[in-house]
Structures are given as structure tokens and as C-alpha cells.
Amino acid sequence: MSRAATIKDVARRAGVGVATVSRVLSGSGPVSEATRERVLRAARELEYRPSALGRGLKTRRTGSVGLVVGEITDPFCAELAAGVLACARTLGEHVLLEASHGDPGREAEIVDRLVEQRVDGVIATPAAEGDWWRSALRAGIAVVFVDRAPKELPQIPAVLADDAAGVRATVEYLAGLGHRRIGFLGTGDPAAPAEAGGVRETTFRTALAELGLQVEADLVVRARPGRDSALAAAAALLQRRPDMTAVLAAGHLLGEAVVLVARELDLRVPADLSIAMVDDVSWAELCDPPLTALARPARDMGYRACEVLRRDPARRERARPVVLPTELVIRGSCGPPSRTPAVRSARTR
């Protein structure tokens, strides 16, 4: 088997020095266009492949980026990952994908492992604000958050969707249809006080108050992570208030739960109950009727996060969060409220 071509072989074929070949292949330093073409042609003819290890020793870069998401199978996370991969491909970066499953302990282990592997940076939807993020920064690893930005870590740049504007637009749309008793299905500790709600719940409450509508405690229900909890929370919300005419689900898993429970209770959508949810996933259009949803630009968020990661450290640390717009996609699951409240009881099997 013939040996692999070296940088000296390329220099010899092109009739230039090794330093010139290095400048051409690394894209650094002045080189004439004719010399550049000659070097690249020689590299192609010899099928020269630069050593990643050698390049890393010189540049102190490994050419790899860690991506930490909550769930790999989650449609939003999948789109986000696609955006990161698309950007990384243009930058010549390799992406190491990990899933925390929303578990802070698992997330800490993943981050520690990525630091040991000396990745150039980490893009993450953080499960928690734990000290492992500060450890990564101290180790010289660039970090960019996407979709969530813990207040305790303001030094880490973030790329976010404008959830507040989107939720406000959704509430205003439902109120404009005539709904006055609008429910909200969110996530978090069900026993936590109202002030502990996330951006979506907080905006929901504020938007209702600004419209002069009462924020009723039993019209806001939170579910813990997981499908079973989402279904239980949706059932509790839909059965406790038969006068509720619309509901906003704070995520696609919660939206799915509302659709399934409404079907179980024989509720007509939208005649008996209007449904809207955050995240316009592919199955939203397949519902009967199609589901009104707040579209968040997951792919663009991933792409922008990767771009922010490659900024120089000083510029990255001074940057404000990048906030991308959302869009309310109106479909058939929302309509004016019925004058006669539906009777809500689970059908007998």
C-alpha cells in the first residue's frame, strides 16, 4: 500500500515552500491567486488530507462542537439540531450530539465529558443552571445556550425565540374571537406559586390582565415532564371547568394531551373548545381540525447558535441574547365560543 501524501509532497508538486502550502490550506496569510490554485491542484492530485491531530496541536482547536438537547426524538430539538449541523458543516466542524432528558445530573456528566474531550464549544438547551457550565467556561470552552437562558448565567450568550410576543399574540387572538375563560396548560412544579411560572405562563397571565380578563387560578394547570403527567394535567384542566371555552398549551406534548383528552370527553373542536399550542410540529396539520400553533424557528435558532459560538470571545461575552420572531399559524382548531357549555365527562368504554 502506498503511503499517504504529506505536506512536503504537495509543496514539491506545486513548486513552493511548505509554509506557503500551510498558508493556503489554513486560509491564513497572503498568497497570490495563481499560487493558491497551484497548491490546491497539487493537493487534489495527490489526494492530500491534512492531519486533524496536527492541525489541532497548532490551532488549539479540535474541530468539534458538543450539542446538548433535552430529547433527540423531540421534533423541536430535531429541527434545532438540523440547524446546528447545517452551520457546522459550512464551518468544517464535527458535532457531538447528546441528550440530557431534562436530568441535571445527566447534563453535568455530559458537559464534564465534553470538556475532557476538549471540544471547541458547547451549544445546549440547558436543563439547569448548574455549576458545570461555569466549569466549562473556566476550562476555556465556549458555551451558547439556545431556547433557554437561565438568569443565573448571564455571562453565557443565548439564542431564543420570542415566546413572550408569540404567547401574547395567541391570547389576543383567542380573546378577539370572544373567549373570556381561557385555560393554560404549562410545565413546572404544580405546587409552585404563580410567580414561579416560566415566560409563557407569565406572559399568559399578563396578557389576560391587560385585556381586562380575570386570571383565574384553576384555569392554569402545570404538568411535570412526561406524557403521562401531560395527559393527567390536561384531564384535570378540561374537567374542572366546563365553562372554559379555549385552552393554550405551552408545548407540543401538552397540545397533544389536550387533543387526546378533548376527544376522550367527546368535546367538539372548536365548537366546544378552541385549542392552540406552542410549537408548530408536523402533526398539527394532520389533526381534525388542524391545530392552531405558535411556530418557533428551531432550525434558524440552531444555525444562529452555531454562528454565535464561532465569534471571538470578547464579542461573544458582550453580546445580548439573539431573539428570533415567532409566528402564530391560525388553523381550524380555534373559533368563537359556543353559547351552550358542553358537558364534560369521560366516555364509557
Side-chain angles (χ1 to χ4, degrees):
M1 181 181 293
S2 59
R3 68 179 178 82
T6 67
I7 193 171
K8 291 182 179 179
D9 296 329
V10 175
R12 191 178 302 112
R13 173 70 68 92
V16 297
V18 170
T20 300
V21 175
S22 179
R23 286 199 298 274
V24 170
L25 298 180
S26 65
S28 62
V31 178
S32 70
E33 188 60 27
T35 299
R36 178 178 176 277
E37 288 298 327
R38 198 161 68 247
V39 169
L40 292 177
R41 184 170 60 253
R44 285 195 301 270
E45 292 171 352
L46 294 172
E47 296 183 351
Y48 173 69
R49 297 289 184 271
S51 165
L53 177 59
R55 186 169 60 245
L57 291 173
K58 291 181 180 180
T59 64
R60 295 185 181 275
R61 295 182 60 84
T62 61
S64 60
V65 172
L67 172 59
V68 186
V69 297
E71 297 286 348
I72 294 175
T73 56
D74 180 277
F76 180 86
C77 292
E79 281 292 297
L80 189 150
V84 172
L85 289 169
C87 182
R89 192 177 302 117
T90 67
L91 299 172
E93 295 276 3
H94 174 63
V95 178
L96 305 176
L97 178 60
E98 295 275 4
S100 68
H101 304 296
D103 180 355
R106 181 178 176 83
E107 182 177 82
E109 293 175 2
I110 291 171
V111 174
D112 286 345
R113 184 164 61 250
L114 291 173
V115 170
E116 290 175 0
Q117 293 174 310
R118 301 302 302 172
V119 296
D120 296 331
V122 176
I123 298 170
T125 54
E129 61 80 29
D131 196 55
W132 48 90
W133 296 116
R134 299 179 185 86
S135 297
L137 294 177
R138 288 193 293 268
I141 306 296
V143 178
V144 175
F145 288 152
V146 61
D147 194 33
R148 300 176 197 140
K151 295 179 181 179
E152 298 84 356
L153 296 167
Q155 69 272 39
I156 295 179
V159 177
L160 310 170
D162 196 347
D163 287 357
V167 169
R168 185 179 301 277
T170 306
V171 172
E172 290 174 351
Y173 169 66
L174 293 173
L177 290 173
H179 294 283
R180 295 297 177 264
R181 290 173 295 280
I182 304 171
F184 181 85
L185 185 60
T187 57
D189 183 355
E195 294 74 17
V199 170
R200 297 172 195 177
E201 180 183 329
T202 301
T203 304
F204 172 80
R205 292 174 178 275
T206 301
L208 281 181
E210 290 176 350
L211 290 168
L213 300 179
Q214 186 176 356
V215 183
E216 301 181 52
D218 58 352
L219 285 179
V220 176
V221 175
R222 296 179 190 147
R224 297 187 185 277
R227 194 168 186 270
D228 290 343
S229 180
L231 287 168
L237 177 61
L238 268 60
Q239 289 183 290
R240 71 169 53 164
R241 287 293 296 269
D243 60 338
M244 181 180 66
T245 60
V247 61
L248 171 58
H252 62 83
L253 183 62
L254 301 171
E256 177 188 2
V258 173
V259 170
L260 292 175
V261 172
R263 185 181 303 163
E264 183 74 13
L265 297 174
D266 284 326
L267 295 176
R268 298 167 301 162
V269 177
D272 298 328
L273 182 70
S274 288
I275 302 174
M277 73 174 181
V278 175
D279 281 336
D280 187 21
V281 294
S282 58
W283 59 259
E285 287 188 284
L286 303 178
C287 289
D288 183 19
L291 210 61
T292 294
L294 182 64
R296 303 193 309 137
R299 186 180 292 257
D300 289 346
M301 291 167 68
Y303 199 101
R304 292 292 295 275
C306 191
E307 288 183 327
V308 172
L309 194 70
R310 290 300 300 270
R311 292 176 181 170
D312 65 86
R315 184 183 173 202
R316 187 171 57 242
E317 291 169 6
R318 291 195 304 267
R320 290 184 174 183
V322 175
V323 181
L324 301 183
T326 55
E327 178 186 2
L328 180 60
V329 181
I330 298 173
R331 300 193 180 100
S333 66
C334 293
S338 172
R339 294 183 178 182
T340 305
V343 177
R344 303 182 183 184
S345 59
R347 72 172 81 131
T348 303
R349 294 186 179 278

